[in-house]
Amino acid sequence: HVVAASAVASSLCGAALSLAAPTAAAMLPRAMEALGPLQNRIMNNTLGNSATGTQPSDYQPIDTNNLPPFDANEKIFLK
């Protein structure tokens, strides 16, 4: 019974996909027409307004003279 039920379910799903495919294919160009300008607007806003931390000038140079000395005897370096 299980094999027959899964075969019927599989057949019904295949039929549903076959019926829905032309509708989905017809709707895709319309969706792209609607989403294209939105994508362009988002990309222009993203490229125009760079967030803090995205440019090298956003960071201060590190003063290496104020760093603590390196200690090779620390626990994490010993095996």
Side-chain angles (χ1 to χ4, degrees):
H1 293 290
V2 174
V3 173
S6 65
V8 169
S10 174
S11 177
L12 289 175
C13 288
L17 286 175
S18 295
L19 291 173
T23 305
M27 290 173 39
L28 187 60
R30 289 185 190 154
M32 293 309 294
E33 286 176 12
L35 294 177
L38 178 63
Q39 180 184 8
N40 289 340
R41 203 170 332 143
I42 290 171
M43 290 303 292
N44 288 339
N45 285 342
T46 303
L47 295 175
N49 301 330
S50 62
T52 302
T54 59
Q55 301 296 322
S57 59
D58 295 336
Y59 297 94
Q60 298 294 327
I62 296 174
D63 184 8
T64 56
N65 295 325
N66 290 335
L67 293 175
F70 178 76
D71 185 6
N73 294 322
E74 286 190 30
K75 190 178 186 179
I76 61 170
F77 297 112
L78 301 176
K79 288 188 176 185

